[in-house]
């Protein structure tokens, strides 16, 4: 956000803090990644509002406070290998790239993979790999992961994703019916099983199997 006027930047960060994003590393990462780079066209002038906005392929870019709260709940360390399911605009992956050793992000729409890949290169984010894939199956060839984040809602945490989480690993995702308010949960994999924490109510697009219609 280097080119942003100080007042807009201050308001953006204040909105994050006021909604519970208090982790200093997360706030620093979100200050470094300019959300305006990820919002194009008609909605570009609203890039710094704390609101979700439409992007291509019928998807949305999550509101900044939700990105911040999900990232905070993930408790990413500089050593972590992270899987993101649902690249979308690429904003969440870019924030994670400032915190983690490596980020793999999978997306079912080819256009979004192409556009975000170009944007990551433009921003010099060399530790992100964006791939066209059915995210409900995760990324077995790179498993296990220290952290997994899902930016689309499933009725239950998908089994293949849970299986790709390391012992001690954390997954953050929205669960619930796609037409109702969902709950953001954190799943921690322990030596003895899975621990679940409910975090906050959210609204996300549904997690769909297969590739987007334009990719088949």
């Amino acid at each position: 956000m280097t080119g942003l006027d100080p007042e807009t930047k201050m308001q953006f960060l204040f909105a994050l803090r006021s909604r519970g994003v208090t982790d200093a590393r997360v706030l620093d990462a979100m200050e470094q990644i300019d959300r305006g780079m990820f919002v194009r066209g008609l909605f570009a002038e609203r890039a710094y509002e704390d609101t979700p906005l439409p992007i291509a392929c019928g998807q949305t870019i999550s509101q900044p406070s939700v990105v911040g709260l999900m990232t905070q709940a993930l408790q990413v360390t500089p050593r972590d290998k992270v899987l993101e399911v649902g690249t979308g605009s690429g904003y969440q992956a870019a924030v994670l790239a400032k915190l983690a050793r490596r980020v793999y992000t999978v997306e079912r729409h080819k256009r979004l993979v192409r556009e975000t890949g170009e944007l990551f290169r433009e921003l010099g984010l060399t530790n992100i790999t964006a791939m066209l894939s059915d995210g409900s199956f995760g990324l077995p060839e790179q498993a296990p992961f220290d952290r997994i984040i899902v930016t689309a809602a499933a009725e239950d945490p998908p089994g293949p994703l849970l299986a790709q989480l390391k012992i001690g690993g954390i997954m953050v995702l929205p669960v619930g019916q796609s037409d109702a308010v969902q709950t953001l949960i954190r799943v921690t994999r322990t030596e003895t099983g899975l621990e679940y924490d409910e975090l906050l109510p959210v609204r996300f697009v549904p997690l769909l199997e297969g590739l987007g219609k334009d990719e088949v």
Side-chain angles (χ1 to χ4, degrees):
M1 299 171 74
T2 49
L4 204 57
D5 71 88
E7 188 178 345
T8 303
K9 184 189 289 191
M10 190 173 68
Q11 288 173 344
F12 181 82
L13 294 171
F14 177 77
L16 293 175
R17 288 192 192 94
S18 67
R19 287 167 174 83
V21 184
T22 55
D23 185 294
R25 289 183 69 235
V26 174
L27 288 166
D28 183 56
M30 295 186 73
E31 186 174 359
Q32 290 182 60
I33 299 297
D34 184 353
R35 190 175 187 244
M37 297 286 291
F38 299 85
V39 184
R40 304 292 169 92
L42 288 174
F43 296 96
E45 62 188 29
R46 301 183 61 192
Y48 305 105
E49 295 177 17
D50 191 38
T51 186
L53 295 168
I55 60 169
C57 303
Q59 305 300 299
T60 56
I61 178 172
S62 295
Q63 67 194 80
S65 61
V66 171
V67 170
L69 289 166
M70 289 182 78
T71 306
Q72 186 169 273
L74 209 57
Q75 300 172 12
V76 180
T77 79
R79 300 182 303 277
D80 286 344
K81 180 168 71 169
V82 181
L83 171 65
E84 179 193 37
V85 176
T87 313
S89 69
Y91 180 59
Q92 175 73 77
V95 171
L96 289 168
K98 292 292 184 181
L99 300 166
R101 175 174 60 87
R102 187 89 212 159
V103 177
Y104 291 89
T105 181
V106 294
E107 170 58 55
R108 62 194 294 271
H109 294 284
K110 190 183 296 181
R111 175 182 171 184
L112 295 178
V113 175
R114 185 180 67 249
E115 291 178 355
T116 54
E118 291 169 359
L119 191 48
F120 297 149
R121 283 190 292 275
E122 188 181 332
L123 294 171
L125 299 172
T126 56
N127 61 334
I128 305 179
T129 302
M131 305 170 70
L132 179 70
S133 179
D134 180 347
S136 57
F137 294 105
L139 201 59
E141 61 270 29
Q142 293 296 339
F145 295 93
D146 302 288
R147 302 288 186 267
I148 298 176
I149 187 168
V150 185
T151 59
E155 288 193 28
D156 297 293
L161 298 184
L162 292 171
Q164 291 171 35
L165 194 60
K166 276 185 184 175
I167 300 291
I170 295 171
M171 177 161 66
V172 172
L173 76 163
V175 294
Q177 300 289 348
S178 60
D179 57 348
V181 173
Q182 306 128 4
T183 302
L184 189 68
I185 68 166
R186 175 171 54 209
V187 185
T188 306
R189 187 170 188 188
T190 70
E191 295 279 0
T192 54
L194 300 167
E195 295 177 357
Y196 294 85
D197 296 300
E198 292 191 3
L199 303 176
L200 67 152
V202 288
R203 291 295 294 261
F204 277 86
V205 296
L207 180 66
L208 301 174
E209 290 191 3
L211 300 180
K213 287 195 287 285
D214 48 335
E215 336 301 342
V216 177

